[in-house]
Amino acid sequence: NERNRRMLANRLPRFHYTKLPWFSILVTTAQVIVFIVELVKMGIWTGSPFQTKPYFNPMIGPSTYVLINMGARYVPCMHKIQGITLDTSIQFPCPNSTSTDTNVCNLNELCGLSGIPIVDNEFVPSQYYRIVLPIFLHAGILHIFFNMILQLTMGLAVERSIGWLKYSIIYIASGVAGFLLGANFSQNGVASTGASGSLFGIIAANFLLFIYCGTRNTNIYETKRYKTFILIMVLEIVVSFVLGLLPGLDNFSHIGGFCMGVLTSILLLPDPSFVYKKGVYTYDSDTTTWKSFVDNWNPICKLWDKVRWKVALWAVARITSLVLAIVYFALLTKNLKSKKQENNEETCLWCKYFNCIPVNNWCEQGEVTVTTSVVSASTAT
């Protein structure tokens, strides 16, 4: 019965911390504060904290232009693009714009932050930190609300299970990986924000952590329906990726975050239960976060409780994950700075279909287009 199951569960080894999840608390606080600043700036610049003109923001928040000015991932602010950044006369909407034909600014005024230098009468964008800042920005109340629900439920459980150090590495690496992937392959006019990439990395960690426990250890949800729970988690992940194909969502952040979450989780999480003899964890209940972090890389830590050939196999898996993570960041960073990106050439013709469904021109939405008026300079939209 349930009472006996709980008594047994309390006697089974488990790998978790019960300490306060400091990282989740701090990063959530920072994200909420930044969102309040977004609304305040929007209110000061346009007279309303929520965008209603020239169109309504369905997320109930500031305009895209305000988000770009505060650090959203926006490719024209990150590197040169032929026909867009090389002409300083091209006008963009200002952060305080409430219409499509007034309050025009140059690229430097739109991007803000550290500014866009002009060299030989050309803008030379280099705000590559826009693959980090968007983690703390959100497009509206609905956006931050749903992200924070996930972060303060599943995120807290995962951080308590693996410790703040590993959790923070997975969280930040996944967020950066997601925005880096989007900067390479999404439409260059799309401004992306949010902690979704980071949270998809945590979803990956949560999934692997659950699998690692096996059926002989108490998992973080203390459920005995192991296979059913795995099936539900797989379905949730698949549905999330499918929903990411809809317009207005950045599926590249989801995909990149999840992939990096898998790699960093294999690298940082404790050995899975199948490495241990009889599939049962042994652990030090009073271990510190740093000691636990180091023990993962100590080949002789609890070696007497493990199957040695499986330890060697898992060491290879960890090293492979580390190499793949490094290659991921290296190749995408190199591609982002390549001449093809500068010339606005597609480096992957089919990659865009990871982010859209090819109907109603959804896959063409988000490109920066430049129009020329008889009475004014060129305008980018």
Side-chain angles (χ1 to χ4, degrees), residues 185-190 245 247 346 349 352-353 355-369 381:
F185 300 117
S186 67
Q187 309 290 38
N188 56 33
V190 173
L245 296 173
E346 288 190 276
L349 297 177
K352 62 183 179 182
Y353 298 114
N355 197 44
C356 62
I357 301 174
V359 296
N360 297 326
N361 293 322
W362 283 0
C363 294
E364 280 65 50
Q365 294 179 12
E367 283 289 348
V368 175
T369 57
T381 57

Side-chain angles (χ1 to χ4, degrees), residues 228-249:
T228 302
F229 213 75
I230 288 178
L231 178 61
I232 292 173
M233 294 172 76
V234 170
L235 289 175
E236 288 177 344
I237 292 170
V238 171
V239 169
S240 297
F241 283 135
V242 172
L243 291 176
L245 296 173
L246 298 175
L249 298 177

Side-chain angles (χ1 to χ4, degrees), residues 86-244:
L86 304 186
D87 185 353
T88 57
S89 67
I90 294 178
Q91 298 173 328
F92 293 78
C94 293
N96 63 346
S97 294
T98 56
S99 67
T100 57
D101 56 357
T102 60
N103 295 331
V104 290
C105 295
N106 60 36
L107 184 62
N108 177 58
E109 293 169 319
L110 173 63
C111 294
L113 299 177
S114 59
I116 306 295
I118 297 177
V119 179
D120 296 330
N121 203 33
E122 296 178 356
F123 281 118
V124 185
S126 59
Q127 296 182 355
Y128 292 105
Y129 48 76
R130 286 178 180 267
I131 60 174
V132 179
L133 289 185
I135 296 174
F136 301 93
L137 297 167
H138 287 84
I141 292 176
L142 295 180
H143 191 197
I144 193 171
F145 176 74
F146 287 111
N147 274 1
M148 293 305 100
I149 285 180
L150 187 61
Q151 188 161 289
L152 295 177
T153 52
M154 182 192 67
L156 291 184
V158 173
E159 183 175 350
R160 285 196 176 104
S161 297
I162 66 177
W164 70 267
L165 183 57
K166 297 174 190 175
Y167 181 89
S168 62
I169 294 173
I170 295 172
Y171 187 96
I172 297 298
S174 298
V176 172
F179 285 118
L180 181 59
L181 185 66
N184 275 272
F185 300 117
S186 67
Q187 309 290 38
N188 56 33
V190 173
S192 181
T193 60
S196 298
S198 296
L199 292 175
F200 265 82
I202 299 305
I203 288 173
N206 178 64
F207 182 63
L208 290 180
L209 193 63
F210 188 84
I211 293 177
Y212 281 14
C213 286
T215 57
R216 297 188 178 185
N217 301 278
T218 303
N219 55 70
I220 60 177
Y221 299 107
E222 296 189 4
T223 178
K224 59 181 179 180
R225 295 180 175 86
Y226 184 74
K227 293 182 180 179
T228 302
F229 213 75
I230 288 178
L231 178 61
I232 292 173
M233 294 172 76
V234 170
L235 289 175
E236 288 177 344
I237 292 170
V238 171
V239 169
S240 297
F241 283 135
V242 172
L243 291 176

